[in-house]
Amino acid sequence: MMRHNLMQRLFLCLILALSAFVSSAARTMYVVSVGIADYQYINDLSKAENDARCFAELYRTHTTHVRLLVGREATHDAILAAMRETYALATADDVVVFFFSGHGTAGGLCPYDMRRDGNLLAYSEMMAVLRSCRAGSKQLFVDACFAGGLRVKSHTTAQSTFSNSEGVMLFLSSRNNEPSRENARAANGYFTQHLIRGLKGGADADADRIVEARELFDFVSTRVAKDTRDRQHPVMWGKFNDDMRVMSWRKAQ
């Protein structure tokens, strides 16, 4: 009888453990991926639109909620609208992901219709959208010159609130005084090239089929610095744990 009760308790513990695992894995990702190489008014790039396509293709293996904006589709208003519409679907258990590849400058990112005298996609505008989103995890990947400026302290309400939010991860391709370099011998820029490799499992140092934040940073940052001869240094910043899951390749998603 005692053995029977013990087996029942063990079986119940196993069921609870499996339920907890499935619950933690069964989160939905909502993704907006933006890339601009052919700008309307400012000088062009070569890899940025392919960067965004590759990023979107990767995340489509995990979710159906992926918005891709490239080239002339990626105007200032269209990017913000895509973020609002896509991220509004997320619940507290979900993850929202933003990827951008293109020109960056002090205070923000350059949309397709960026002019030399204005129309910047300001960091404060992006942060306001993300701040209103219910998702418990918010992950931003930015492959742009001076991307590190996104983490510079600001007195604006939007940036202050964003920087103090739990579960927010910013992974930026370069420091605030560095350009982000395109790899002439590859299909993507240096940062995006190693980011995608890392997310696909290259960064999974402990082979548990989960790519965690610290693993991803270590993988990408060392390789970008090496490939650019120490001229570009990705930065990761935010209020999250080092073991925060960024990508899972386990069967249960």
Side-chain angles (χ1 to χ4, degrees), residues 114-135:
M114 173 76 178
R115 296 177 181 271
R116 296 189 184 280
D117 59 350
N119 212 26
L120 178 71
L121 178 63
Y123 292 140
S124 58
E125 294 178 292
M126 298 164 54
M127 291 173 183
V129 174
L130 290 163
R131 193 177 67 249
S132 66
C133 171
R134 294 174 293 171

Side-chain angles (χ1 to χ4, degrees), residues 78-197:
I79 295 170
L80 288 177
M83 292 176 70
R84 292 189 188 102
E85 293 164 7
T86 304
Y87 300 158
L89 301 173
T91 68
D93 295 327
D94 296 330
V95 183
V96 297
V97 180
F98 179 78
F99 175 85
F100 179 90
S101 183
H103 282 305
T105 188
L109 305 174
C110 301
Y112 169 75
D113 51 348
M114 173 76 178
R115 296 177 181 271
R116 296 189 184 280
D117 59 350
N119 212 26
L120 178 71
L121 178 63
Y123 292 140
S124 58
E125 294 178 292
M126 298 164 54
M127 291 173 183
V129 174
L130 290 163
R131 193 177 67 249
S132 66
C133 171
R134 294 174 293 171
S137 180
K138 302 170 185 181
Q139 301 170 10
L140 285 80
F141 302 91
V142 177
D143 192 348
C145 293
F146 320 115
L150 182 51
R151 70 173 183 154
V152 174
K153 292 182 179 180
S154 170
H155 297 294
T156 66
T157 302
Q159 287 180 321
S160 176
T161 302
F162 185 82
S163 64
N164 291 326
S165 299
E166 292 285 350
V168 176
M169 183 193 78
L170 309 175
F171 196 9
L172 315 170
S173 61
S174 58
R175 295 172 181 166
N176 64 323
N177 60 347
E178 294 176 339
S180 290
R181 302 173 185 275
E182 295 190 316
N183 186 351
R185 295 173 294 179
N188 304 108
Y190 287 108
F191 175 76
T192 299
Q193 173 189 347
H194 292 301
L195 172 64
I196 290 174
R197 285 180 57 202

Side-chain angles (χ1 to χ4, degrees), residues 16 38 64-65 103 108 149 155 166 177 181 191 235-236 253:
L16 290 173
D38 184 11
T64 59
H65 301 283
H103 282 305
H155 297 294
E166 292 285 350
N177 60 347
R181 302 173 185 275
F191 175 76
V235 293
M236 184 178 280
Q253 289 298 320

